[in-house]
Amino acid sequence: MEHDHGDSLDWSMERRVEGLVNKHMADIAVESLQQRLTAVSDEMHSLVEHVSRRSETAAQRKIIALLVEIKDEQQRQWAVLRDLQARLQGQTGYEEEDVEALDMDLPLRTLEQLDEMERRLEEPGIQKKMVSFLSRMGGATIDDAVRRLMQAVLSFAVGSELNWVGRGQKRSFRNTRLQGVLFRALKRTPVGKEATHHQYADVVKKWLRFAPFRQGGSGRRCCKPPVESPDSEEVDSFNQSCTH
C-alpha cells in the first residue's frame, strides 16, 4: 500500500504541474489576445477618422468591415480564454486536499476496489466531490479527455475485466455509478461541454476493448487488435504491448 500511496502522490503532483502549466499558458494567451484586440480597435478608430475627413471609397468600407469582423472574432476568442482561465484558476494545489478528502486509492486496481467504489458512490456527496476532482483531468479533445478520465480511475487490469454492456464473461461498465460520474465530470470540462453521451460511450468502449493489450493481458497471445479500426493512439499502444 505504501507503493500505491507513492504512485498516487506522483500522479497528484503530475496533475498539479499540468494545472499550473495550463493556467500559465491561458494567462499568456489572454494577455496576447487582449493586446491584439486593443491594436485592432486603435486601427479601426484611426481608419474611421481618416475616412470621415475624406470621401469614403468601396475599398475603405471593405477594410472597415473586415476589421470589425476580426475584432468580433477576437472578442469571442477572448471570452473563451477568459472562461478557461477562470476554470484553471482553482486548479493549483487541489490534488492533495481532494485525494485526502475522497480517501480513494486511484486508479482502481482490482474488481474488489471497484465494488467498494460503487458502494461509496451511493452517497451523493461523494459523487459530487469525485465529479469535481475528475473534471480537472484536462484534455485537448473529447476523446483525449475521456481517455484521461478512464486512466485516472481504472487500471488496465480492471479495464480488461469490463466491457460496456457486460457481454461474455466480463462485467458491465455502463451500469456502474462510476460511469455516470465520469460523464458528469466530462461535461464540466472546457472541451466536453457539448459532448453527448454517445460520443463519450464510444471512447469508453474503445478504451475498455484495448485495455488487455495495453496491460499485456490476454490480448498478447494473438497480437491481433479487434476488427474495428482503432485510432492511431490505440494502434501505437497495441503495437507496444505486442513487442514487449
Side-chain angles (χ1 to χ4, degrees), residues 142 146 164 173-187 192-205:
I142 292 176
V146 175
W164 184 246
F173 186 68
R174 178 179 61 183
N175 296 329
T176 62
R177 295 185 181 88
L178 180 58
Q179 180 272 131
V181 165
L182 293 184
F183 182 63
R184 287 165 55 192
L186 173 67
K187 295 291 285 184
K193 283 182 179 180
E194 306 301 324
T196 65
H197 196 269
H198 179 73
Q199 289 175 303
Y200 157 78
D202 280 348
V203 183
V204 172
K205 290 173 186 177

Side-chain angles (χ1 to χ4, degrees), residues 96-199:
E96 288 83 356
E97 291 85 351
D98 280 2
V99 171
E100 182 177 355
L102 289 172
D103 189 25
M104 294 178 179
D105 184 16
L106 297 175
L108 304 175
R109 293 175 173 81
T110 66
L111 291 177
E112 289 73 19
Q113 288 182 341
L114 176 59
D115 291 336
E116 174 62 23
M117 172 70 76
E118 286 294 291
R119 285 191 289 271
R120 297 192 62 182
L121 290 177
E122 292 177 2
E123 301 181 27
I126 296 296
Q127 288 195 26
K128 183 177 179 180
K129 287 181 179 179
M130 195 163 184
V131 168
S132 177
F133 173 69
L134 293 174
S135 66
R136 298 160 177 165
M137 292 298 103
T141 63
I142 292 176
D143 286 19
D144 183 34
V146 175
R147 284 192 290 263
R148 288 181 181 224
L149 288 169
M150 292 296 292
Q151 194 160 344
V153 299
L154 296 180
S155 66
F156 294 134
V158 173
S160 299
E161 301 296 327
L162 307 171
N163 59 38
W164 184 246
V165 297
R167 191 173 288 119
Q169 300 298 316
K170 297 189 176 184
R171 290 172 52 172
S172 169
F173 186 68
R174 178 179 61 183
N175 296 329
T176 62
R177 295 185 181 88
L178 180 58
Q179 180 272 131
V181 165
L182 293 184
F183 182 63
R184 287 165 55 192
L186 173 67
K187 295 291 285 184
R188 288 184 56 176
T189 65
V191 299
K193 283 182 179 180
E194 306 301 324
T196 65
H197 196 269
H198 179 73
Q199 289 175 303

Side-chain angles (χ1 to χ4, degrees), residues 73-93:
E73 178 60 27
Q74 288 190 329
Q75 284 180 325
R76 286 192 291 270
Q77 292 178 9
W78 185 76
V80 171
L81 282 171
R82 290 294 297 176
D83 179 65
L84 177 59
Q85 187 183 45
R87 288 174 176 271
L88 292 171
Q89 190 72 36
Q91 288 191 11
T92 57

